[in-house]
Amino acid sequence: MKILNIQQIREADQYTIENEPIKSIDLMERASYELFTWITERFNNDFSVYVLAGSGNNGGDGLVVARLLSESDYKVQVILPLGKNGSDDFEENLKRLKKINTVLILEELPEQISEKSIIIDAIFGSGLSRPIEGRLADLIKKVNNFEANKIAIDMPSGLFADKASPSEIIFKADYTLSFQVPKLAFMMAENQEYIGEFEILDIKLDKEYINNCLSDYSIYEVDSVIKNRLKLKSIAHKGNRGRATIIAGGYARMGAAILAARACLHSGIGLISVQTCPHCIDIVQNQIPEALILTDENEYVLGSYLDYSKQDVIVFGPAIGFAHKTLVLLENLLKDYQGQLILDADAITLLAENRELLNLLPEGTILTPHHGEFKRLVGKYSNNFEAIMQLKSFCMHHKVVVVLKGKFSAVCNADGKISFNPTGNAGMAKGGSGDLLCGILAAIYPRIKNSYETAKLAVYLHGLSGDISKEEKGENFMTPSIMIEKLQSAFKKIEN
Ligand SMILES: NC(=O)C1=CN([C@@H]2O[C@H](COP(=O)(O)OP(=O)(O)OC[C@H]3O[C@@H](n4cnc5c(N)ncnc54)[C@H](OP(=O)(O)O)[C@@H]3O)[C@@H](O)[C@H]2O)[C@@H](O)CC1
Ligand SMILES: [K+]
């Protein structure tokens, strides 16, 4: 699903008005009817409704919702903190609201409201142009302390759609009901406490116009082309399911390698190999009898460059450490290995500390840093909008694919396009979870054969296995090993 900026959304709005054609006030009615439907499907009319309406078109939406809810016998009260003069459609809807007589227009929000209330934030939407101050700021702070159900129309007031929000005076919504397309701000970790859950309501802006809008940002959806590439011909040979090697861990640190190898195996790889120091061979063989062992010459750390000529893909990095021999192995892989490389964890720190290696990165290499590791590569940033800019320039400069892990993990291609991942949950933030992602990436690359498409799909499946685990075990009790077991269901879910 495409993410558009405010300028583009306004243009799509205008295009629809002129070409459908539809009057802007009727488009506001249509948008608000979607809001009304969403609300009435979830909250019955035992709930009292408070609508905070600004004086622009976001306020206009709020007034329409107030009227529609009142006509469905909800007790509705409206507060107009910016007064009664505003945009044409706002003023027209205020007239319509006054005619129905059942909605109370209050001067102030009461000091106390029952928990069985809904507060609808229609103060500012996409027209916010500066931080909220003064009496309005006091109102937002007061509302944020109420224990009611809070719904923001289009955007939580105070939040900017396309850039970092400089102030913390922002409506804290439980639900944000946004129109037609998601906004970039919804993808940023620091904004989640204000957005709550977001839903995109189809208000029937011109589909073709939106399809033709150019955007570097989107939310991932699995398409039929990828589903087909994932399918294997029925007479599959283990070779055409792909060969992957895991180079991870070391003496007393083989857990990461085992988790990655298992995830790879459970994601359909044909042949999995694990590079191990001689002391660890038994552990790997006991834990994954399916794995071939590639024996490293070194006793405690990995460092031997072995014969990888038949390997389609190599994962390098989880818990591998920072020994000089390991660094040399990484350098040799960057120089000589001809297949697909996936670099994670310590590999990324090694790159950050030996920056000349960055110039050796083969085109299309997949890197999977979390924010701490990514900052080592690109320097500090203070919010996720800045992170996204750094991500784009890093990928474009080095011609690589980076998965920046977090809530809505961002997968960036070498051309600067960014796809945000919608699956996953906080229960996945546990040691070992990232190792699984490496394994899934390695398993599906031989079938997808494109770094960016592989990364998007693998991150999606990783999150999906997390969501299935959460559903069955709960956020606290799900583990990476449980997620591995659920990979099969995750694959099934996308195949259907
Ligand atoms: N696009 C679509 O498809 C559709 C859009 N629709 C709806 O329209 C909404 C956008 O409406 P909008 O453009 O009128 O802007 P909105 O957010 O109501 O407020 C603008 C007003 O606020 C003012 N203002 C700004 N910041 C301020 C501050 N800090 N403190 C004080 N004042 C401040 C600003 O003043 P100015 O910056 O001009 O000085 C201006 O007067 C959109 O979110 C959606 O809900 C739907 O109805 C149908 C389809
Ligand atoms: K709003």
Side-chain angles (χ1 to χ4, degrees), residues 201-396:
L201 306 180
D202 183 2
I203 62 166
K204 306 208 164 37
L205 296 186
D206 193 280
K207 288 253 154 44
E208 207 180 315
Y209 186 89
I210 290 181
N211 283 343
N212 290 332
C213 285
L214 298 178
S215 171
D216 281 348
Y217 307 108
S218 59
I219 299 182
Y220 186 62
E221 291 165 304
V222 187
D223 64 30
S224 53
V225 179
I226 289 300
K227 279 188 202 175
N228 279 336
R229 278 205 233 165
L230 204 55
K231 275 188 199 145
L232 282 168
K233 294 189 190 78
S234 53
I235 337 166
H237 170 267
K238 65 185 173 201
N240 56 28
R241 287 183 197 278
R243 294 179 163 91
T245 288
I246 309 292
I247 310 180
Y251 184 65
R253 295 194 310 272
M254 284 313 280
I258 289 164
L259 285 172
R262 275 205 195 131
C264 191
L265 203 58
H266 286 258
S267 301
I269 194 74
L271 266 175
I272 179 84
S273 304
V274 179
Q275 183 160 335
T276 4
C277 34
H279 289 303
C280 305
I281 293 176
D282 288 353
I283 300 169
V284 177
Q285 282 198 315
N286 283 335
Q287 293 295 320
I288 326 170
E290 295 90 342
L292 292 177
I293 303 290
L294 301 180
T295 311
D296 202 284
E297 291 164 3
N298 300 285
E299 278 191 85
Y300 299 106
V301 295
L302 300 179
S304 308
Y305 189 93
L306 303 173
D307 177 10
Y308 307 116
S309 56
K310 286 193 177 148
Q311 302 302 316
D312 298 300
V313 46
I314 289 181
V315 170
F316 182 95
I320 203 162
F322 310 105
H324 182 69
K325 285 173 183 165
T326 310
L327 174 65
V328 174
L329 172 54
L330 173 61
E331 184 173 349
N332 288 334
L333 282 167
L334 295 176
K335 282 181 180 159
D336 296 334
Y337 174 59
Q338 298 296 313
Q340 173 66 34
L341 266 180
I342 296 163
L343 303 179
D344 182 45
D346 295 350
I348 293 166
T349 304
L350 284 170
L351 288 175
E353 287 172 359
N354 301 275
R355 305 194 72 81
E356 66 286 357
L357 294 189
L358 288 170
N359 300 325
L360 299 176
L361 282 170
E363 206 171 315
T365 298
I366 300 174
L367 294 94
T368 55
H370 54 57
H371 280 274
E373 288 158 352
F374 190 57
K375 282 181 182 169
R376 275 175 221 149
L377 281 179
V378 300
K380 284 198 179 124
Y381 43 79
S382 50
N383 61 60
N384 275 285
F385 280 95
E386 280 174 30
I388 290 304
M389 290 305 133
Q390 295 278 17
L391 182 61
K392 276 184 166 202
S393 64
F394 183 87
C395 290
M396 289 165 83

Side-chain angles (χ1 to χ4, degrees), residues 6 9-10 12-14 24 27-29 31-32 54-61 82 87 122-133 136 153-155 179-180 203 205:
I6 294 302
I9 295 169
R10 279 207 192 110
D13 185 30
Q14 207 45 43
S24 70
L27 181 58
M28 183 177 277
E29 191 79 15
S32 303
S55 57
N57 287 343
N58 196 252
D61 294 337
L82 290 162
S87 71
I123 305 176
F124 299 118
S126 54
L128 183 81
S129 56
R130 53 195 179 275
I132 298 178
E133 290 168 344
L136 263 183
I153 297 184
D154 205 20
M155 302 277 306
F179 297 134
Q180 206 66 51
I203 62 166
L205 296 186

Side-chain angles (χ1 to χ4, degrees), residues 68-141:
L68 296 175
L69 287 173
S70 179
E71 284 168 353
S72 290
D73 299 326
Y74 287 75
K75 186 182 170 221
V76 183
Q77 311 187 52
V78 171
I79 295 99
L80 302 171
L82 290 162
K84 295 180 179 168
N85 301 322
S87 71
D88 292 348
D89 293 345
F90 166 84
E91 289 190 4
E92 174 56 30
N93 272 309
L94 190 56
K95 270 190 216 153
R96 293 183 187 179
L97 186 73
K98 283 179 175 167
K99 272 188 201 149
I100 63 164
N101 248 335
T102 45
V103 175
L104 270 179
I105 299 185
L106 304 177
E107 287 297 317
E108 294 268 349
L109 192 66
E111 289 308 313
Q112 302 269 324
I113 62 170
S114 120
E115 283 181 20
K116 209 156 181 188
S117 305
I118 304 171
I119 301 177
I120 298 180
D121 160 32
I123 305 176
F124 299 118
S126 54
L128 183 81
S129 56
R130 53 195 179 275
I132 298 178
E133 290 168 344
R135 280 185 52 222
L136 263 183
D138 296 337
L139 175 67
I140 301 242
K141 282 188 221 159

Side-chain angles (χ1 to χ4, degrees), residues 139-146 150 168 170-172:
L139 175 67
I140 301 242
K141 282 188 221 159
K142 177 173 168 181
V143 172
N144 282 348
N145 284 326
F146 285 144
K150 296 181 201 121
E168 285 175 3
I170 303 169
F171 181 82
K172 280 191 182 157

